[in-house]
Amino acid sequence: MQLEIRERSLLGLGSVLIGFLFVMLLKAHGIAGKESIGQETAVPSLVQTELENQQISVENDKLRQELGKYAQGQSASSLANQQLQEAEMNGGLVAVSGPGIRITLDDSKRTVQGQDDLNNYYIHEQYIREVFNALWNGGAEAIAVNGQRVTSNTEVFCGGSFIQINGTRQMPPYVIEAIGDKNNLTAALKFYGWDRLGDFQQQYGITRKLESEQNLILPAGKLKPYRFAQPVKEGT
């Protein structure tokens, strides 16, 4: 009888222990389940965040590339404009102003004496060309004569009673203006034939006048049309 009571007691205690263990297992399973659900929820969130970060990084790289291209394009455009301006300046295609000198050459008003050569009383095209060359050698940055800009295409030749310059008929007086260092321009003139014109002035009465100017304004030259000349391509 006592054994049965002890066995029942042990059986009851075992049941309680089993029940307790069962409850603990349920709780443990529930917690694990919650953690599993939390992990399952957190993992997609982290993946989504990472994907968004990658997309932002890609977009930033694209923006950097676009900005780089834009900046490079601006630099190329600025450089091209600068080179164009320099080419136009060197070609005499831009109106300019600055200090320099003004030269006036005019035919003589005297009457031819005796057997003197009539040609000695006139300003000839070679006088003008010599003045141009002297001014260029003296460092002239721009030259004009009677409002005609002197460029690499400027022609100066006698047309009888007139001198043709840039395809226009020019009559005396011939006013030549040059922008540059006034001292250098004057020294170059005196070295290249200016005194000879002075001798003609004394003998025949032609006008040879030199003035220093603080601000000359020279017009732009004209662009020469090209029909036959073509630029040589690189590699040919």
Side-chain angles (χ1 to χ4, degrees), residues 99-101 135 138-141 178-188 212:
I101 60 175
L135 293 173
E141 297 179 356
I179 293 177
D181 185 284
K182 292 179 283 187
N183 294 328
N184 291 342
L185 295 175
T186 302
S212 177

Side-chain angles (χ1 to χ4, degrees), residues 36-71:
S36 177
I37 293 172
Q39 290 177 354
E40 291 176 358
T41 304
V43 169
S45 178
L46 291 174
V47 171
Q48 182 65 28
T49 302
E50 181 63 23
L51 290 175
E52 290 176 356
N53 289 337
Q54 291 179 359
Q55 183 65 27
I56 292 173
S57 178
V58 171
E59 291 177 356
N60 287 338
D61 289 338
K62 290 182 179 180
L63 287 174
R64 291 191 189 97
Q65 292 176 1
E66 292 298 327
L67 289 173
K69 291 179 180 180
Y70 178 77

Side-chain angles (χ1 to χ4, degrees), residues 120-166:
N120 294 330
Y121 292 80
Y122 297 109
I123 298 297
H124 299 282
E125 76 278 5
Q126 62 264 31
Y127 301 168
I128 297 176
R129 285 198 295 264
E130 289 174 359
V131 169
F132 286 171
N133 290 332
L135 293 173
W136 289 130
N137 287 331
E141 297 179 356
I143 301 175
V145 52
N146 285 14
Q148 293 292 319
R149 185 70 175 271
V150 179
T151 69
S152 60
N153 298 317
T154 297
E155 85 287 355
V156 180
F157 67 88
C158 181
S161 60
F162 61 88
I163 295 178
Q164 180 164 313
I165 302 174
N166 284 342

Side-chain angles (χ1 to χ4, degrees), residues 102-109 121-135 144-146 156 163 165 170-177 189 192-201 205-211:
R102 177 183 291 116
I103 300 165
T104 303
L105 303 177
D106 199 358
D107 293 342
S108 174
K109 303 300 188 289
Y121 292 80
Y122 297 109
I123 298 297
H124 299 282
E125 76 278 5
Q126 62 264 31
Y127 301 168
I128 297 176
R129 285 198 295 264
E130 289 174 359
V131 169
F132 286 171
N133 290 332
L135 293 173
V145 52
N146 285 14
V156 180
I163 295 178
I165 302 174
Q170 298 297 326
M171 304 291 291
Y174 304 101
V175 180
I176 303 171
E177 297 175 321
L189 278 174
Y192 293 103
W194 186 250
D195 291 338
R196 182 169 65 89
L197 290 177
D199 293 338
F200 291 165
Q201 185 176 21
I206 66 170
T207 297
R208 180 206 65 162
K209 185 178 180 181
L210 175 62
E211 300 171 287

Side-chain angles (χ1 to χ4, degrees), residues 210-225:
L210 175 62
E211 300 171 287
S212 177
E213 297 292 337
Q214 288 300 116
N215 187 43
L216 295 170
I217 300 177
L218 275 56
K222 296 180 180 180
L223 185 64
K224 180 181 179 66

